[in-house]
Amino acid sequence: MPAITATQHLPADWRDLFALTKPRVMTLVVFTGLCGLLAAHGAMNPVLAFASVLCIALGAGGAAALNQWYEADLDAKMKRTADRPLPAGRLSRDTALHFGIGLSAASVMLMDLAANHLAAAILAFSIFFYAVVYTVWLKRRTPQNIVIGGAAGAFPPLIGWVAATGELALLPVLLFLLIFLWTPPHFWALSLFVRSDYAAAGIPMLPVVAGAEATRRQIALYSLPMAAVAVAPWLLGLTGALYGIVAVALSAFFVFLSLGVLANRATEPAAMGPEKRLFAFSVLYLFLLFGAVACDRLANRYAPTLLG
Amino acid sequence: MADPPRPEQELIRRRQRSGARATAWVLAAFIILVFLITIAKIWVNR
């Protein structure tokens, strides 16, 4: 690859370092972490709350940089990722590695300083889980990569909660489970219409290994326990009716869309409208659900005070 | 008389300058953040 040779000696551009943190994925990570923190009833100093959310963002960015450092060869083979800084040759691998390690270490140390040991430990474990367990161990080996690896993206609300309270509770564990069960349908919907990309890179995603029909069945199967876990906080009395209504309506629509995917028989990406709709909605679903849980908990806490 | 800098050298210099500036900003932000966290911790534990 001549591009790499030509530019490898160039100092890194900050835009490429920023791209290494996967800013779009980070938005969801930061949002769910913030909602976990807001849903906790412990009042947290705003500076410490800001620092905790920043640490979640830095940790996610560091893990993403380490992921791209390790996967540069795979990214180069996929259309969707070929223009990332490493495969495109705009950044040296050493720079990416140092940047990833630096961000990860700084995030854990700052979290320990700003919040508590438990939050820092969970953050460190989540970075390890994403960068090593998912990226190095699972992704190239098993079609269940996204099922187990999904846990890595599920930690932020747990970290946010623990940063605010110093302890674990049932609600953040349910929020963790919600993202854990949401990840497979979300990624399998995507992998159905970019299947050729994954096949070209030799990544054993479910549609590549088991075919479209089995993947569609799995999507529908996973959406059911996911919907149940989404509604559970309301049924268990951990949230109020505001969250309950939002969770029931959004989860019912999610299941409806996943049944649309199950009914689709298309093999060409152009005819995979239901898969594309489910993928797009799944992102909105998580944003709205976490927004609702934070609003509901804040309303329950402050409404009695405000109403006198 | 010195040769005019080659475009590639000019790009390297520009990147180095912007990298140094970004590092300075990040370090300054880090110091301020640690300072604010320390003050907030003292305030919380009063």
Side-chain angles (χ1 to χ4, degrees):
Chain A
M1 282 186 289
I4 292 180
T5 323
T7 55
Q8 218 159 30
H9 62 284
L10 278 177
D13 187 275
W14 69 269
R15 291 173 202 86
D16 289 327
L17 289 174
F18 184 63
L20 218 52
T21 63
K22 297 189 184 173
R24 273 199 299 181
V25 176
M26 200 202 278
T27 316
L28 198 56
V29 167
V30 168
F31 185 72
T32 55
L34 174 68
C35 289
L37 189 141
L38 292 175
H41 269 174
M44 198 177 186
N45 180 289
V47 174
L48 301 181
F50 169 78
S52 301
V53 175
L54 182 70
C55 290
I56 294 174
L58 293 179
L66 292 172
N67 166 273
Q68 289 187 58
W69 165 76
Y70 189 78
E71 288 188 345
D73 60 324
L74 289 184
D75 285 346
K77 292 177 190 161
M78 297 198 287
K79 254 191 297 183
R80 193 171 63 86
T81 52
D83 195 40
R84 283 178 177 173
L86 285 173
R90 297 194 302 273
L91 206 63
S92 79
R93 290 194 75 205
D94 280 354
T95 307
L97 177 64
H98 299 157
F99 181 66
I101 292 174
L103 267 189
S104 304
S107 70
V108 174
M109 284 191 295
L110 265 182
M111 182 64 96
D112 193 53
L113 183 67
N116 50 63
H117 298 323
L118 185 56
I122 300 174
L123 179 63
F125 182 71
S126 69
I127 295 168
F128 169 79
F129 200 89
Y130 184 67
V132 179
V133 177
Y134 170 68
T135 303
V136 178
W137 185 40
L138 295 170
K139 189 164 179 180
R140 298 178 197 232
R141 283 188 174 82
T142 165
Q144 295 301 310
N145 50 16
I146 213 65
V147 178
I148 310 163
F155 281 110
L158 207 62
I159 300 169
W161 180 287
V162 172
T165 65
E167 56 194 25
L168 283 168
L170 182 58
L171 180 58
V173 172
L174 286 172
L175 296 178
F176 170 91
L177 270 179
L178 171 61
I179 303 182
F180 181 69
L181 291 167
W182 165 91
T183 307
H186 169 75
F187 273 106
W188 284 335
L190 168 75
S191 62
L192 275 168
F193 57 84
V194 295
R195 185 190 166 280
S196 56
D197 253 17
Y198 284 116
I203 303 172
M205 290 299 279
L206 199 59
V208 178
V209 176
E213 201 178 317
T215 308
R216 288 182 171 117
R217 228 176 9 248
Q218 292 292 322
I219 288 175
L221 276 176
Y222 267 86
S223 70
L224 296 174
M226 184 213 71
V229 168
V231 180
W234 174 53
L235 295 178
L236 294 170
L238 300 169
T239 60
L242 169 67
Y243 173 79
I245 292 165
V246 173
V248 168
L250 292 177
S251 302
F253 193 57
F254 194 110
V255 172
F256 171 75
L257 288 179
S258 71
L259 292 177
V261 169
L262 182 65
N264 194 16
R265 289 284 171 269
T267 50
E268 287 305 308
M272 290 190 182
E275 286 78 3
K276 290 173 186 169
R277 272 194 292 279
L278 178 67
F279 177 72
F281 177 72
S282 64
V283 178
L284 183 68
Y285 172 79
L286 214 60
F287 266 111
L288 292 177
L289 217 52
F290 273 81
V293 82
C295 289
D296 183 286
R297 298 274 296 181
L298 287 173
N300 277 342
R301 182 170 186 218
Y302 291 110
T305 320
L306 292 173
L307 297 173
Chain B
M1 226 168 73
D3 291 335
R6 284 180 299 152
E8 195 185 326
Q9 278 179 329
E10 189 52 42
L11 179 63
I12 291 172
R13 284 279 158 77
R14 215 167 43 235
R15 288 265 180 102
Q16 280 173 336
R17 271 198 299 272
S18 110
R21 218 173 288 135
T23 309
W25 278 112
V26 168
L27 279 176
F30 183 76
I31 290 165
I32 292 168
L33 188 63
V34 170
F35 175 73
L36 289 176
I37 289 172
T38 310
I39 298 295
K41 280 277 196 184
I42 293 169
W43 184 264
V44 168
N45 295 325
R46 263 184 331 152

